Amino acid sequence: MRDQLNEIRESAKLAIEGATSLEELKEIQVQYLGKKGKLTQVLRGMGKLSAEERPVIGQLANVIRDELGEVFENSSKALATKAMEQKLLKENIDVTLPGRQMNLGSIHPVTLVEKRIKEIFTQMGYTVEEGPEVENDYYNFERLNLPKNHPAREMQDTFYISEDIVLRTHTSPVQARVMDELAPHLPVKIIAPGRVFRRDDDATHSPMFHQVEGLIVDENITFADLRGTLLEFVKQMFGEDSSIRLRPSYFPFTEPSAEVDVSCIFCDGKGCRLCKQTGWIEILGSGMVHPRVLEMAGYDSEKVTGFAFGMGIDRIAMLKYGIDDMRLLFENDIRFLKQF
Amino acid sequence: MKATKNWLRKYIDRTFTTEEIDVGLTQAGIEVEGVDDLSASFAGVVVGQVVEREKHPDADRLSLCKVDVGDKELVQIICGAPNCVAGMKTPVAKVGAVLPGGFKIKKAKLKGIESFGMLCSAQELEIDSALLSEAEREGIWTLPEDWEIGVDLKKAIGFDDVTFELGITPNRSDCLGMLNVARELGMMYEEKVTIPEVNDNSEDPAAATYVSVEIEDPELSNRYIARIVKDIKISPSPLWMQKVLRASGMRPINNIVDITNYVMLETGQPLHAFDYDKLEDKKIVVRAAKEGEKIETLDGIERTLDSEMILIVDGKKPVAVAGVMGGANSEVDDSTVNILFESAHFAYASVRNTSRKLGLRSEASSRFERGIAPEVSMYAVNRAVDLVEQMQAGSAVPGAVDAYPIKQEKHIVELDPARVNATLGTDINAEDMQSYFVRLGFDVIKEAGSDKAKIDIPYYRTDITRHVDLIEEVARIYGYDKIPTTLPVSATNTKRQKKEITLSERVKENLYGLGLSEIITYAFIHPEEYKKLQREEWLEKSVRILNPLSEAQSVMRASLLPGILNIAKNNIRKNQKNLQIFEVGKVFEQIKANELPKEERRVACLVTGDKIKNWYGYSNEIDFFYMKGIAETLLENLGIEGVSFVQNKEDSTCHPGRCASIMVDGKTAGSIGEVHPQVLENYGIDQRIYVMELTLDGFEEVLTNVKSYSELPKYPSSNRDIAFTIKEDVLDSDIMQVIAGASSDKLVDYRLFDVYNGEQIEDGYKSLAYNLTYQDSEKTLTDEEVAEIHQSIQNSLEEKLGAKLR
Ligand SMILES: [Zn+2]
């Protein structure tokens, strides 16, 4: 019996070594160590053994069982590792092939800049307002202190729908509309983005473009507040190192009025082609709300003041992204759009 | 408006640098649009005289000249110009001179004879042809006989100067006169400004014996002054005047014309000179023109007038179109003996319209259009008469005939320093503030025991009438850049953000996420677009622009489709054939004439070509269902419920078999479809295009829908498939309806997963397979319960739609 057991041990070891797959190994395991396996079959004859031999053979059988178990274990590990290696080898791919493309959308640069402007001002507590694109002469001009035949109307070439209806030439009529809605409530603190139209078409002018209007009306609003607000805006829009320069100017609906330049973002104010060597680039017009405009809206111009500003979104987008021809914005070449 | 350095020097005794003038005027609020150093254009050119001239021995066309250039010896120069004659004065570029464009003059040999320089034409010196008479444009430039030989030409013609192109804002029309530009500059640098004094004998009755003036309607003109000058001697004006005129861009003509131009540039008041003897009734009448009335203007063209134009009549005939151009019949010429100077004020809107209609915009009309202070008119005419006398070009009749129906208002405004500081956010003391007005040359009347002072506003500053105008003066003189920077302490406005804006933003974000690119197109389109879309009926409700830039931009869009289709076309032409684009914008509809049109916010999407370019195979062409998937996802993400797609065969822009109306709660909210092949042909597009257009108005409320969590199912669900054949024309939406109608609330989801109509399927039939999901929130459904519901759905499909189960 001892010989039988030793023979099982040897043949099992041989069989295990010869196994080439995990499945084969499993079969061998069942064949030798299973319920009906060779080892069990031999041990069935234990009853015929003497009492002295029985524990000795029993112990030998256990040793062989453990020994084979260990061999099976090791072998199965080795085979598993090998199988894994083969699998991995087989699944080799060219990782330099392009990935499965996701469709990438894009947002128009004008919208991106408009969004940023809205974020900056909503953080400062402004709400966003809107008005019609086809506007009454009354709101577009008269309420902004520009009566009919006022010479300043010449500053903006206007598209007319009828004698009293125009395509709005600026977003400023929203000022009057919002004040009408709110007066005498204080404060008024809004921005109004939107499309505007002027009869002008060349590399730097488009007959349609985008503006953002800003308006604040309250007690004790000062010109210093206007400067501070605009400085804060350009720092957030163009970077912490940006500065502003205000030049006296004229708009019928503000007084005092100022054109506002930002330090050139291309040369940091040193002077370059884009800023015509001045170090400054004009980005917006602004001023203290003209008392007439407040009065027409029903505010007491002795008690409340305000400031207003208006900027061209397209122009800021061109500056921000280095776009040198305004027409690119409206050509909508997909290769242009996909860059944003 | 041009200012020149040399001219400004006449009023301020200080030699400013170009930089100082630029900065000073900018800070005063006068935009310097350009600076032109006239002396930079050429160098080394002097006034010379051709002393001898003979033919070149070997070339008939060339002249061999001996030229006096003010040096000890005459210079030998060969010239090719036919007008080269002995005795003439002409510009001479000496050896070493540099002409415009950097062209250097060297010693040269022409047909064997040496030439030491060049006689120049005005063109070679790049003199603006507007500054030259016709004769001066021909050949070498013939200079006036009295010009001094050897003088630097730049000096002689006034080009030793720097000009500043100024952008004058509408409120400061006073700065259309050099005097007031000088006042601004003097104020900025605290320099004294000397205003030329004039003789004012306007009260003398003598003039009234020569002429009378009548203004028919003060609305047309609120001041008209006439002054008479006798015994006129027409001749060239003095060199100093010619120089500043030329530097300012005006061609010197003769003493009288030059004086009117000079005084206009100096004071801003345009003047006109009539030949007094050509005025028939010696009676100036200012009246509205009659419709169709005619006058021949100075340029020899007969003009037909309308009733909005203002006419100057001599009692019998029209003699000038007011503010725009004089008549040929009263023109000053070489035989003129007596003249009448007109210094007047006309309704600026009329002058503006008239100059536009007649196509006659001039330095004078543009000044009338901006509106000048009527009080300036007397100073200006007196200045002109003084200049005539100084030049001994005539003798003035004392007195002025002055029709002045509406006297200019005088303003005295009280300065309240506390209020100025409160508005500016500054802390400027009252005395400093008052001193600013002294610098401006205004009278300041202090009030005892108070910071306040009365400021006497000079007549020429028509822009200052109330306190806020004083605030502006203080701000610009103090310096904008010295004003502090603070942030307003205002509370946030309580008004909520407009939902329409948020909705647009959400739509853009969603479509961006779905792989579409945003475009922005013009809101105006060509009316032909509607024809191309097969939607000519839309033209009727479209808003038309009265004065479009072109027909291509003459109608406000009634749909976003023309814009997006044109962008697709342009991209496809550039070989960009795979496009997924969208636009959010307004469309316009005329509801009632003379009322604001209806503006509706919409979104349009367009997809065409391949979804994505790939290397791993399978057909990737965009189809209707790709477009529909975008629409469904967008609507779902926005939270718009009750959406259905209903086949629409009536939409003429779309393929009749591939078009649906997008319905929300039973109302049409938009459309989706493949673009009709005819429409594609109209646009010149040769690939299939899918579009969608959806209104966003009315959906703002979905943004306020609060999402609430619903409990996750506790009990497992069971899935059953159902497959059947059915007639091909049965719509999926019908089947969905039957399934939904036949099931209880235990059916929680159903999904089409296969459509097949190939082999093994009877002609005219299709095979469909759905996966249905059953679930109960209270318990686990037994197989029997599921089978029962499933069976009832099967029965319904068989009974109602004739489905055959497979
Ligand atoms: Zn720069």
Side-chain angles (χ1 to χ4, degrees), chain A residues 327 330-335, chain B residues 519 521 529 532 562-577 579 581 606 683-685 689:
Chain A
R327 285 172 285 209
F330 302 108
E331 263 171 30
N332 297 293
D333 188 310
I334 194 78
R335 295 162 295 184
Chain B
I519 63 167
T521 68
E529 295 286 344
K532 288 190 191 171
I564 205 166
L565 276 166
N566 276 313
I567 297 305
K569 177 191 74 183
N570 294 342
N571 275 290
I572 290 168
R573 266 196 198 153
K574 293 180 200 160
N575 210 25
Q576 302 297 313
K577 298 186 173 176
L579 297 170
I581 51 180
L606 179 151
Y683 277 92
I685 297 173
I689 298 242

Side-chain angles (χ1 to χ4, degrees), chain B residues 91-111:
Chain B
V92 181
K94 301 203 279 190
V95 171
V98 182
L99 298 192
F103 177 61
K104 274 201 187 106
I105 302 296
K106 293 176 198 153
K107 191 173 81 175
K109 236 181 197 177
L110 284 139
K111 298 263 179 188

Side-chain angles (χ1 to χ4, degrees), chain A residues 264 267 271-272 275:
Chain A
C264 179
C267 63
C272 68
C275 58

